[in-house]
Amino acid sequence: MVGEGMIAHLRRWRWFYASILIGGLAGERFPFSNWPMYSSFSANSGYVYVTDASGAPLAHLATFGESSARLKKQFNRDVGSALAQAAPPGRDEARRRSGQRLLTRLAARLTASRQQELGGLQLVYVTIRYAGGGLRRDETTVATLALAPPGTP
Amino acid sequence: MTTRRDLAPEVTFAWWETLCMRIGFALLLCHEYPPATRLPPPGSELPFPNGLAQWLDLGWGLVPQVYTGLHAALLAAAALYASGVAFPLAAPLLLVCYLVPATLLNSSGAISHHYQLMTLLLLAQTLAAWAWCLGRGRAAALWSSPAALHSWTTRVSLQVVAGNYVLSALTKLVATHGTWIWATHLMPVQFEKTRWQLFHDRLSMPELPLGAALNDACLAHPWICPLFFGPGLLIELFAFAMLFGRRWALLLGAAIALMHELVAATMGLFFRPHAAIAIIYAVNAPYWSARATRRARGARARTDSRPATAYSRTARTTRS
């Protein structure tokens, strides 16, 4: 009786259980997801931002059509992929290369005149950690990309 | 006596309920369509192909004319979808219109969860509609799409929504070995990160007074975090209760929508499609509005047909 009831239940809720099973197995394969955002926490976190050649921060959405959260994910994914290679570079070098690749992709979204205006791009990584009963932010420029200087045709 | 079956009764949705849901979901799909400005430029490399892009080259989806065509097809399919006619054809068309640009957006190394639930619902509705029509020899229903088909795909949609919220809770519990609620005492770091990320989006600090107050309190008293964020995990974990019937769906749907609103107010993270889906399918306001109206009319009718009392006779006499 219990077995029959269970089978009837599984049949009636099959889309529910399939959603859990497929999402759990597929992981982050669009449109499936196991929804890992904010699933774990650590005592420090970080984000990236992009500046022009002079170090002035750029508004990510207006300049590149990308959000800061997406830029950080792209950067972290690239660094993770580099570090997972058979002969991985050092962490700083992996960050530099990944930052360079990200800046190159972002520069491709700018018009030639905008590139000239900015002169270059820099990627800054900010680490946030607990310190002295509050939170502390430490900034490191991980990559720079020179763009055509003003006046260059 | 309550049986195990009674705990999860199979709800039959009326044609007008599912019509309202289809209109709501179609409007949501049109409103949330990925804008062309968010997509990589045409010809860009996809450094981390995701989903369908792992097996198929979807680079053609970045061509502006293709995007325009997909957007136009989305609007036409959304109108057909809302009407309810030829549902098994409208749903997959919408699915393709969403799948291509959202897959391309997710193939740059950043997985965004904005489009997942909407696309998953379209996938589930497509599969459910075709299974319903072909599995029982109802090929004619492909065009006519009767109310029973819409009721069925609505039940499937609710199961998919509930399943994904439960999965989200399970992922949190697995990742933290069951300690997620306590681990939220580290949330202030995440809040600070999110606040600065939002700043760099537009170079203006987001106005999150509730979030700032909460964060200050959490920094001073870390035990507040589990109290505030813990209920969110419980709502996700018990989202399956929305399959227990209309009242449970209303309760869980409202709780999920409220949870997303609180996350938006405190952390500036907007999951509008998720909240909207909970309201459209689980809260199902048209049903409760119709029920309240019917009850009010019934009560009025009963009052009118009741024999006149000494008080009402006096009142009538006074008025006349």
Side-chain angles (χ1 to χ4, degrees):
Chain A
M1 286 300 124
V2 174
E4 280 178 24
M6 185 59 76
I7 290 168
H9 170 77
L10 287 174
R11 284 190 63 173
R12 287 180 66 186
W13 286 35
R14 58 185 177 273
W15 295 87
F16 170 77
Y17 290 111
S19 296
I20 296 176
L21 197 65
I22 295 171
L25 292 175
E28 291 285 40
R29 286 187 176 79
F30 190 83
F32 302 105
S33 175
N34 56 354
W35 311 99
M37 60 279 204
Y38 295 95
S39 62
S40 60
F41 303 99
S42 66
N44 56 56
S45 187
Y47 63 92
V48 297
Y49 70 90
V50 183
T51 73
D52 64 9
S54 70
L58 299 169
H60 295 157
L61 284 175
T63 313
F64 307 112
E66 285 280 22
S67 68
S68 310
R70 282 179 53 83
L71 290 184
K72 184 212 169 183
K73 286 178 189 172
Q74 291 176 45
F75 175 72
N76 279 354
R77 177 87 182 262
D78 203 47
V79 172
S81 165
L83 293 176
Q85 286 170 3
R91 187 164 191 84
D92 289 346
E93 178 59 15
R95 281 186 166 193
R96 193 191 63 76
R97 288 184 201 171
S98 299
Q100 203 81 30
R101 278 193 287 271
L102 179 59
L103 291 179
T104 307
R105 285 204 302 275
L106 293 177
R109 294 184 169 209
L110 303 172
T111 59
S113 60
R114 186 77 171 125
Q115 288 191 11
Q116 282 192 357
E117 194 185 316
L118 297 175
L121 297 175
Q122 300 184 46
L123 188 74
V124 180
Y125 191 92
V126 184
T127 307
I128 304 171
R129 58 169 66 93
Y130 285 96
L135 296 170
R136 179 179 148 180
R137 294 186 305 123
D138 294 313
E139 302 195 352
T140 316
T141 301
V142 289
T144 56
L145 180 74
L147 298 172
T152 306
Chain B
M1 197 178 79
T2 304
T3 65
R4 189 182 295 114
R5 221 175 157 70
D6 293 331
L7 280 175
E10 197 164 271
V11 178
T12 301
F13 295 94
W15 67 268
W16 50 269
E17 285 179 87
T18 58
L19 173 66
C20 293
M21 289 174 183
R22 288 196 308 277
I23 292 172
F25 191 44
L27 288 173
L28 179 70
L29 292 169
C30 293
H31 185 259
E32 297 295 329
Y33 196 61
T37 50
R38 299 291 303 276
L39 292 174
S44 299
E45 57 155 347
L46 298 174
F48 294 98
N50 185 268
L52 209 55
Q54 287 177 296
W55 301 286
L56 292 176
D57 178 12
L58 294 181
W60 49 267
L62 297 173
V63 177
Q65 291 84 346
V66 173
Y67 176 86
T68 308
L70 282 173
H71 199 180
L74 173 97
L75 297 176
L80 189 65
Y81 176 95
S83 77
V85 179
F87 184 83
L89 303 176
L93 189 52
L94 283 173
L95 173 65
V96 171
C97 293
Y98 251 79
L99 201 58
V100 173
T103 301
L104 289 167
L105 260 176
N106 278 350
S107 293
S108 55
I111 303 288
S112 152
H113 295 95
H114 194 81
Y115 304 105
Q116 249 94 348
L117 196 55
M118 290 186 287
T119 315
L120 271 177
L121 280 188
L122 288 172
L123 175 63
Q125 290 177 2
T126 299
L127 294 175
W130 279 88
W132 194 87
C133 292
L134 299 182
R136 301 180 194 181
R138 298 171 179 142
L142 284 174
W143 299 103
S144 58
S145 302
L149 166 66
H150 295 305
S151 182
W152 158 242
T153 53
T154 301
R155 286 199 296 274
V156 167
S157 301
L158 274 172
Q159 289 197 22
V160 171
V161 171
N164 278 283
Y165 276 101
V166 173
L167 175 60
S168 174
L170 293 177
T171 299
K172 290 180 175 76
L173 291 174
V174 169
T176 56
H177 307 288
T179 63
W180 190 87
I181 290 181
W182 171 243
T184 56
H185 75 273
L186 296 170
M187 193 64 100
V189 173
Q190 299 297 326
F191 174 83
E192 188 71 354
K193 176 199 76 177
T194 306
R195 206 166 66 94
W196 280 99
Q197 282 184 333
L198 291 172
F199 166 79
H200 284 288
D201 280 349
R202 293 186 172 82
L203 291 187
S204 80
M205 201 50 98
E207 293 286 332
L208 297 169
L210 182 60
L214 176 68
N215 210 45
D216 289 344
C218 287
L219 272 171
H221 311 286
W223 51 267
I224 291 177
C225 292
L227 287 181
F228 186 81
F229 295 103
L233 178 76
L234 297 179
I235 289 170
E236 289 188 339
L237 194 59
F238 291 99
F240 63 86
M242 73 170 65
L243 307 176
F244 286 175
R246 290 180 181 277
R247 284 192 179 84
W248 283 98
L250 169 67
L251 182 70
L252 266 298
I256 287 171
L258 179 66
M259 176 183 78
H260 286 304
E261 281 308 309
L262 280 175
V263 170
T266 54
M267 298 193 71
L269 296 173
F270 296 97
F271 286 90
R272 287 209 181 92
H274 295 66
I277 284 168
I279 290 169
I280 291 168
Y281 287 101
V283 171
N284 188 10
Y287 169 79
W288 293 104
S289 307
R291 186 182 146 116
T293 309
R294 211 165 41 234
R295 287 203 162 185
R297 276 189 194 147
R300 207 178 307 138
R302 273 196 302 280
T303 310
D304 291 347
S305 61
R306 204 177 291 159
T309 61
Y311 170 77
S312 59
R313 270 198 301 274
T314 313
R316 269 201 296 273
T317 313
T318 311
R319 271 201 300 273
S320 62

